[in-house]
Amino acid sequence: MLGWEFPPFISGGLGTACYGLTKAMSKLGLEVAFVLPRAVSAGKESTHVKMKTPADINYSRLNLEEYEQELKNVKFKMIDSPLRPYETAESFKHEIEELIQAKQSRCNVTISSGGADVGQPGHYSGDMYSEIHRYAAAAVRLALQDDFDVIHAHDWMTYPAGIAVAAVTGRPLVVHVHSTEFDRSGEHVNQMIYDIERAGMHAANKIIAVSYLTRNIVISRYGITGDKVEVVYNGVERNGNGLNFGKSSIRKDEKIVLFLGRITMQKGPEYFLGAAKKVLEVMDNVKFVMAGSGDMMRKTVELAAQLGIGSKVLFTGFLRGEDVRRVYELADLYVMPSVSEPFGIAPLEALNHDIPVLISRQSGVSEVLTHVLKADFWDVNEIANKIVAVLKYPPLQMTLKEHGNFEVRKLKWEDAAEKCRMVYEQVVSSAVCV
Amino acid sequence: MPSVCFYFQVHQPCRLRHYTVFDQDHRYFDGFKNKAICRKVANKCYLPTNRLILDLINQHEGRFKVAYSITGVLLEQLAEYAPEVLSTFDALARTGCVEFLSETYYHSLSFLYSREEFTEQILKHRRTIEKLFNYKTKVFRNTELIYSNDLVDAIESMGIFDGVLTEGADRILNGRSPNFIYNSPRNKRIKLLLKNYALSDDIAFRFSNRGWNEWPLMAGKFSDWVSRVNGNGYVVNLFMDYETFGEHQWKDTGIFDFMRHLPGEIMRNQDNNFKTPSEVIGSYPATDVIDVPGLISWADMERDLSAWLGNPMQSNALHEVYRMERNIKKTGDKELLADWRKLQTSDHFYYMCTKYFSDGDVHKYFNPYDSPYDSYINYMNVMGNLEKRCKKKLNIEAEQLEV
């Protein structure tokens, strides 16, 4: 399995998904070798608020101790590469330069994790695309040391590696589409990324899409035939007992509406603020919390000021682990106004934390959730209308929580893993036939 | 000996328009949608079925009889959007073979929350029926056949009714047959007619179900089932929504052909006949007492109130609307009163039902909203505005008094 992020080093849903999926596969008895790019300086996030980041944890320790039990059939292979998802070419270049300087000052960094000897990390060419191909070359070398039946590549950065490994080993390739360039960038697609995605999808024996929304994009935008694309919905980890005893002890005078996700075009932060403005016209004791970071951070802060609601909107920066749990405990409503969301695991986690959820209809997760509020992302009026209703009418909040929490328990990673296994069996058997 | 007693429920709610918390005007109802649905149902169901029933009455020279309960909210809409339906009902009324039943004008759940409002709505409905069809109602059926011992007491005390219709739910019958006449424990004057839900639902729900082992249901087969009651009951009460004909069961299922042949088939057996509820009450004695201390209804498998009162949103919305009764009536404002009363229609609360919501079933089919949550939000926004209007009106009057 070729991936690019894994907890605790995550910036979005992809790492969460890979963790949940591999853990469930491990339970099913599937053996997984998970290949990860390993950034030299991990955990450095571009936020203006300094959060507690577990930068000092390293993967080799994690594998051995923490994950040993639940991921006993998963082996980790690290490739020393600073690949990060949700990256733009510019920010990447900037970070590479920093990295090279840091490396030079520290001389050479030795690679000891995962037991894979992929050689010295060469010299960075300074752009993301050649980095992806370097990752691919390293993956091929790793693949030749190992035996496996299927290659499973997660999102575009690993597609070239997937294609290369498939070409060298002759094993069937499954690509897993967690998001597409059209979700991340709207109509202003990066041609290079699009080409990589397209090549990966065409080279694949089967494509797994995280929703029908994504499946439709794969078919209509990438010229793939429908019979090649399967939908496998993501699941959610159960955490806690769902009773949240501690919660009622938190007293607050203000209602809190939560946005949690990357602050980028894809996530629709401006619609969140537009709705906030409208809500504040009819209600006063509300705070809007935006947890996350991203390339639209500055613009969003400025927009809040422009709308005259700066004092009512709090930016927390990127949150992890315990901080995420705490912010969920404080929130009265979670809002995901995504412009285009292939799936959206975060609403499931919110429901898991007993928070009612308002999601955009333009999200894959709205295909599986019924006990949530839904609105079109552009319909700021309707989003505001629903936010006010949740804050004003406790019975609504109560009913949403009760049914939502029950519904989310039915979305299991085990089912997702089982469906992946079926896809594997299909590609393996058809490969034998040919 | 079994008589067949048909009663059809004829109702359409006055649906709300999309109303956000930011809306300030007093137009709560979706005239466009209500008109479109009213016209559609009139063309698919009311007009063709009324025509068919009229033909059958003529054809059988008055031996075929039926009863209707038409809600006030629908009568208002028909007058505005499909007046020709009213004239066909009037034609049916003039045959003398049709009985009209009483119910709450607004198809409301007022029995559960306000006896005063309950009585007022029944009387308003009764006056309307008398004015339109020159018919004095004598038998009562409560919204969704909601029933308990207390209902009989309330109806008895009005002094105008001889009988009440309700569901022949298993848990109140305890193995007895719904095909007899019953009394409530405290009141022997009012007679109870119980719906034979097995035979009623064969027509209303299972008729077009190809997975049902009795499909296709023919008039002959059905009348054999009715005749089997002979010797073990007085009456087979077939109670159903009128929209069964042409709307729930589409024309191409053969439902109209079934109905066209049914009276003839049933009366081929000399022992069988058709009676209206009042005739049934006049012809047969009550055989036993049925004790219903708790509430029942004709809805879903549960036959309880959970379709309208099953979650916190529904009970909140219902309490809110009846909490406003005193103030609304204090204003004496007719428009305000009419709007408030239209908001009592049980359908509004049915749309908020979360039971089975994920499974997508009959509840979804009748629901103009995407989700029960949307329906609650919309309803509460309208209620919020109505309350504001009401307070404003009362304040102005209070100020005038002071001056």
Side-chain angles (χ1 to χ4, degrees), chain B residues 121-318:
Chain B
Q121 285 192 19
I122 293 171
L123 293 176
K124 183 175 163 77
H125 182 255
R126 195 163 190 264
R127 282 195 301 273
T128 308
I129 295 293
E130 187 173 2
K131 202 179 88 196
L132 285 175
F133 307 121
N134 192 27
Y135 190 95
K136 276 195 163 75
T137 58
K138 292 181 284 293
V139 174
F140 179 77
R141 57 78 66 189
N142 197 14
T143 308
E144 312 292 350
L145 297 190
I146 290 170
Y147 177 86
S148 72
N149 293 338
D150 291 350
L151 180 78
V152 176
D153 298 344
I155 290 303
E156 214 286 316
S157 69
M158 292 181 75
I160 39 181
F161 297 113
D162 306 324
V164 169
L165 269 51
T166 188
E167 173 72 29
D170 293 334
R171 68 168 191 270
I172 66 166
L173 282 166
N174 290 324
R176 289 172 289 179
S177 160
N179 306 327
F180 288 98
I181 313 297
Y182 293 90
N183 280 138
S184 91
R186 293 192 291 270
N187 196 306
K188 307 291 186 226
R189 198 180 70 74
I190 300 274
K191 286 180 179 168
L192 305 177
L193 269 64
L194 305 184
K195 175 182 155 194
N196 183 318
Y197 72 79
L199 288 172
S200 299
D201 292 352
D202 284 340
I203 300 174
F205 296 121
R206 287 180 283 273
F207 183 79
S208 62
N209 180 357
R210 285 165 187 251
W212 180 36
N213 55 9
E214 299 292 351
W215 187 89
L217 181 60
M218 297 300 188
K221 191 197 285 181
F222 190 84
S223 49
D224 286 347
W225 294 345
V226 168
S227 297
R228 259 186 242 164
V229 171
N230 211 339
N232 185 31
Y234 301 137
V235 59
V236 174
N237 291 313
L238 300 176
F239 301 169
M240 63 197 74
D241 284 338
Y242 204 32
E243 290 82 2
T244 299
F245 301 94
E247 174 68 16
H248 302 171
Q249 310 287 349
W250 291 2
K251 185 165 181 271
D252 59 14
T253 63
I255 190 78
F256 288 107
D257 297 323
F258 170 83
M259 196 61 198
R260 189 177 302 282
H261 293 103
L262 188 63
E265 287 291 334
I266 284 180
M267 287 189 289
R268 264 220 313 221
N269 185 334
Q270 298 293 318
D271 292 331
N272 299 344
N273 58 32
F274 285 90
K275 282 192 195 306
T276 64
S278 282
E279 289 175 344
V280 170
I281 288 164
S283 313
Y284 304 115
T287 51
D288 203 353
V289 162
I290 230 150
D291 187 14
V292 189
L295 292 153
I296 60 158
S297 83
W298 72 353
D300 302 332
M301 290 300 287
E302 295 89 344
R303 304 284 197 273
D304 61 10
L305 298 189
S306 57
W308 307 275
L309 203 48
N311 67 39
M313 299 190 295
Q314 292 172 308
S315 70
N316 175 244
L318 273 162

Side-chain angles (χ1 to χ4, degrees), chain A residues 109-141:
Chain A
V109 178
T110 50
I111 300 129
S112 56
S113 58
D117 179 19
V118 291
Q120 288 291 78
H123 44 270
Y124 295 106
S125 53
D127 79 284
M128 187 160 51
Y129 309 110
S130 44
E131 190 55 39
I132 289 159
H133 291 292
R134 213 184 55 79
Y135 171 79
V140 167
R141 260 181 286 159

Side-chain angles (χ1 to χ4, degrees), chain A residues 37-52:
Chain A
R38 176 173 170 267
V40 181
S41 71
K44 187 176 171 295
E45 290 300 331
S46 52
T47 98
H48 68 290
V49 181
K50 187 69 195 151
M51 299 304 301
K52 199 188 121 213

Side-chain angles (χ1 to χ4, degrees), chain B residues 7-26:
Chain B
Y7 134 63
F8 303 118
Q9 178 63 36
V10 199
H11 167 63
Q12 290 294 327
C14 211
R15 294 161 197 85
L16 296 169
R17 76 177 182 91
H18 182 64
Y19 197 89
T20 71
V21 70
F22 306 106
D23 283 298
Q24 295 299 329
D25 60 69
H26 306 159

